[in-house]
Amino acid sequence: MSKIINYNYEFMSATKVGSFGFKKPELIELGKKLKTINKSLAKKKNSADMSFCKLPYDNTIITTLNKLSKQLQKKFTNMVVVGIGASDLGAKAIIRALAGRYANQIKGKGLKMYFAGNTTDPQILDDLLKVLDIKKTVFYIVSRSGSTIEPMVNFLYLRQRVIAKVGLNKSQQHFIITTLANKNPLFQIAKKEGYLILPHYAGGGRYSVLSANGLLPAAAAGFNIKKILDGAKVIDKLCKNNNLSSNSPFLFAALQFLAYKKRKQNISVLMPYNYYLNEFAFWFRQLWAESLGKDKLGITPIAALGPTDQHSQVQLYIDGPHDKIITFIISEKYINDLRVPKIANSDLAYLGGHSFNQILKIEHKATAVSLMENNRPNSTIYLPQLNEYYLGQLFFFFEMAAVYLGELLNINVFDQPGVEHSKKYMYGLLGRKGFAKEAREIKKFL
Ligand code: PA5
C-alpha cells in the first residue's frame, strides 16, 4: 500500500479542459516561487502563526492525552465537545471520519462523542440533555479566546446543570478546558473552579486540529492519535521540497491560484466520495473561507459529497457557469467492503456481484470524466484508505495548501477580521464591558 496520499490533477489541465484549464508554462513559472516561499516560511517557523507545523512532532501531547483518555474512559461514557468554528470543526471532522455514525456504539470502546456549542439555538442543547446521562459525561470546552458567545452560553448552562446534578464539588471533574492561558473569562473560571486546563497551542484556531482541540476527542474516542500525527509529518516533510512536482500541497495551491487569478474560477468545491469525510469538507470550507477571504480577495469554498451530490449539485457544476474547480477525495480501499447480491431476471441484474467500493469508484470516475468532457477542471486526491494515518496527511495537506495559497495571493491567512467584527457587535448588544462603542454603532441600524 502506498504510504502517501496521491494528488492527480490531470483533468485540471488545458490539454483536457481547453481554455478553462491551466497551461503548463504558467504552472512551471509559479513553481519557481516555491523556493523563495519556503525560505520565507522557514524564517517564520518560530512564530505563533506557524507553530501548527510543530504539532505533529509533539510527543508529550500524545502521552498526556492518551493517559488522560484512559482515565476518562474509566469514569465516563460520553464526551461533549463544546466549541464553535475551528474549536469545533476539526474534532468533528476527525470523529466523523474515524468513528462514522455508529462505530462508538459498535466497538464499545472509547467515549461516545457529542458536539454542542456551535449554536445558541436552544433546541439543540435541550435535546442533547434529554438523552445524556450527565453523571457519565465529561464536557470538553474549547475556545481559544475564552469568550466566544456561542460556546460560552452553552458552557454556562451546562455548568449549572452539572452542578445541579452532581453538586459543586464533584462538578469539577466533569469539565476539561482548552483556552489561551491569559485573562480571558473562560480561563479565569477554569482556574477558580479547579477544572483541568489543557492550554490552547500558541497558534490560531483554524490550524489547531492537530493540537489538543482535535486530539483529545480523538484519543478519548479510542483512536490512535500518534498515527494521525505521523501522517501529518509525512506531508510536512513533503513541503520541505522546493520542487513543484514533489510538493503536492504547493501544487494544489498553485492550481487554485491559477484558476482564480487567470480564469476567474472563484469557487472551489471539495467533494469527498468517502461519506464520512463530509465533516472534513466543512472543516476545509472554514479553512478556505476564513484564511483566504479578505482584502477583497477570496475563493468561495463549497462542501459537497459524492455520490450524493451527483443528484443535486453536479448538474450546476457541469452545466452552469465556468466559475468552479472541483476536488474529489476517494479511498482506494475500504476496510469492510460489501457486495451486491446477484439477482436473476431483473433489470437490476447488472449490479449483482459488484462491490460497493467498485461502484463508488465508478461513480467518481464517471463524474470526473463527465466534468472534464464539459471543460470543467477537476482533480482527485486518492487516499490509500480512510484511517488515522491518512487523515493526518489530509489535514496537513490542506493546512499547508492554505498557507501556500496565502503566500501566492499575498494574504495573511492567520487572521479573521471579518469574524471579529460581528463578534464585537454581539458583545456590544449583549452589554459586555468595553464594547459600548460597538453597541452604539450597531444600534443605528436596529
Ligand atoms: O478560526 C478561527 O479563528 C475562528 O473560526 C474561531 O475558531 C471561532 O471564532 C471560535 O473562536 P474561539 O476558539 O476563540 O472560541
Side-chain angles (χ1 to χ4, degrees), residues 84-87 143-145 148 206 286 290 416 419 423:
I84 195 167
S87 298
S143 173
R144 182 179 187 274
S145 63
T148 307
R206 282 187 301 290
Q286 190 218 12
E290 278 197 2
Q416 53 285 324
V419 174
K423 269 191 186 180

Side-chain angles (χ1 to χ4, degrees), residues 10-180:
E10 190 191 350
F11 290 175
M12 295 288 286
S13 147
T15 58
K16 297 286 180 197
V17 291
S19 61
F20 299 100
F22 76 89
K23 297 187 189 112
K24 213 171 170 191
E26 291 171 342
L27 191 60
I28 293 170
E29 207 43 46
L30 267 191
K32 290 184 188 154
K33 296 190 174 184
L34 178 54
K35 196 172 173 188
T36 319
I37 291 177
N38 267 346
K39 237 185 182 169
S40 125
L41 292 179
K43 275 193 197 142
K44 295 182 213 157
K45 75 170 194 258
N46 290 324
S47 66
D49 283 342
M50 288 302 290
S51 62
F52 78 91
C53 291
K54 295 187 177 156
L55 296 172
Y57 301 92
D58 187 351
N59 292 328
T60 319
I61 201 155
I62 299 177
T63 318
T64 310
L65 297 184
N66 281 340
K67 197 171 151 206
L68 174 62
S69 295
K70 282 208 182 100
Q71 291 163 358
L72 295 175
Q73 285 161 1
K74 276 189 201 139
K75 250 196 253 167
F76 300 108
T77 314
N78 315 306
M79 174 180 272
V80 179
V81 181
V82 179
I84 195 167
S87 298
D88 168 60
L89 291 162
K92 217 179 240 169
I94 297 184
I95 296 302
R96 180 67 152 180
L98 300 176
R101 270 196 187 147
Y102 315 110
N104 273 181
Q105 294 159 43
I106 296 164
K107 287 182 194 158
K109 72 165 187 173
L111 300 184
K112 279 187 199 154
M113 285 295 147
Y114 298 88
F115 291 85
N118 67 349
T119 179
T120 53
D121 178 339
Q123 202 62 52
I124 311 305
L125 198 55
D126 195 48
D127 284 352
L128 178 63
L129 287 167
K130 279 182 197 142
V131 298
L132 212 60
D133 178 355
I134 286 184
K135 285 191 176 159
K136 292 262 147 221
T137 306
V138 59
F139 297 90
Y140 182 37
I141 318 294
V142 190
S143 173
R144 182 179 187 274
S145 63
S147 56
T148 307
I149 288 169
E150 297 84 355
M152 291 309 102
V153 164
N154 283 280
F155 162 58
L156 292 175
Y157 187 81
L158 287 165
R159 181 171 162 268
Q160 182 211 47
R161 289 287 294 259
V162 173
I163 293 172
K165 189 82 185 172
V166 304
L168 185 62
N169 286 345
K170 283 196 182 157
S171 69
Q172 188 206 46
Q173 308 163 15
H174 288 260
F175 290 95
I176 301 174
I177 309 293
T178 285
T179 187
L180 286 175

Side-chain angles (χ1 to χ4, degrees), residues 294-365:
K294 52 196 74 155
D295 305 338
K296 311 279 177 294
L297 298 174
I299 300 170
T300 303
I302 304 269
L305 185 64
T308 318
D309 279 322
Q310 283 178 219
H311 305 269
S312 160
Q313 296 272 304
V314 169
Q315 168 60 35
L316 171 71
Y317 301 167
I318 289 193
D319 225 6
H322 283 273
D323 54 1
K324 294 171 202 66
I325 50 174
I326 295 132
T327 309
F328 300 110
I329 306 179
I330 188 161
S331 281
E332 306 272 13
K333 205 177 136 210
Y334 285 75
I335 305 165
N336 301 314
D337 201 1
L338 305 175
R339 201 163 283 281
V340 184
K342 294 217 160 103
I343 177 164
N345 304 324
S346 162
D347 278 352
L348 295 179
Y350 73 99
L351 292 172
H354 288 294
S355 82
F356 278 44
N357 185 192
Q358 196 184 10
I359 294 171
L360 202 58
K361 282 180 177 163
I362 286 169
E363 292 182 296
H364 158 253
K365 266 280 167 299

